[in-house]
Amino acid sequence: MMDMTKKILNVPILDVKIIYGGLDAMGTEYYIQQQLESGSVVDACCWRDHEGIKFAYSRGLRLSVLAHEIVHLINIMYREKGIKLDTENDEWQAYLTSWLFKNLYEGIYNE
C-alpha cells in the first residue's frame, strides 16, 4: 500500500533531510500549477524551499519515476553542500542513489 502522508528522511552523512509525501500532503498546489502551465505532466516533483529539500509524488508512483526524481534530489543536495559531480569517481553518487532508493521506497510503500 502506498503511503501518501508527509514524512522526513534524514540523510546522515550529508546532514540534510528530505521531506516527502503525496502531492496533497506536501501542499504543492503552487509548484504543480507552474509545472502544468509549462505543459509538464506531474507525477512527482522535487524542490528546495525554506523548510528543506522536498519530494512529492502522486498515487501510483512508478519506480522509474522514483529513480528519475532521485537524480534531482541528489543534484539538489550536491548543490546545497557544494559537492561537484565527478564522472571519473562516481562511487559515492552510486551509493547515495541506492541508499535513497531503498529508504524512499520503504517509506512510500510501507515495506
Side-chain angles (χ1 to χ4, degrees):
M1 177 182 214
M2 182 175 283
D3 189 339
M4 302 297 283
T5 62
K6 191 174 184 178
K7 296 182 178 181
I8 295 175
L9 175 63
N10 291 303
V11 184
I13 200 152
L14 292 176
D15 191 32
V16 297
K17 67 180 179 180
I18 298 172
I19 304 163
Y20 69 101
L23 293 171
D24 291 338
M26 295 296 291
T28 56
E29 295 83 10
Y30 175 74
Y31 181 82
I32 291 188
Q33 188 58 41
Q34 288 179 315
Q35 295 297 309
L36 293 174
E37 288 172 6
S38 73
S40 298
V41 175
V42 180
D43 287 331
C45 52
C46 299
W47 70 100
R48 174 82 167 93
D49 67 14
H50 67 281
E51 290 181 314
I53 298 170
K54 301 214 176 147
F55 168 49
Y57 51 87
S58 63
R59 191 167 299 284
L61 175 68
R62 294 182 316 251
L63 296 182
S64 59
V65 174
L66 176 57
H68 171 102
E69 294 301 323
I70 286 171
V71 172
H72 296 310
L73 288 169
I74 289 172
N75 287 331
I76 292 168
M77 286 187 281
Y78 273 25
R79 279 192 306 274
E80 184 173 295
K81 295 298 180 175
I83 300 169
K84 300 288 183 209
L85 291 174
D86 183 352
T87 59
E88 297 296 321
N89 182 12
D90 59 1
E91 191 61 32
W92 167 243
Q93 183 184 9
Y95 173 77
L96 183 56
T97 300
S98 62
W99 188 90
L100 287 171
F101 190 91
K102 175 189 179 296
N103 285 281
L104 288 171
Y105 178 87
E106 288 173 355
I108 293 167
Y109 293 97
N110 290 322
E111 294 292 316

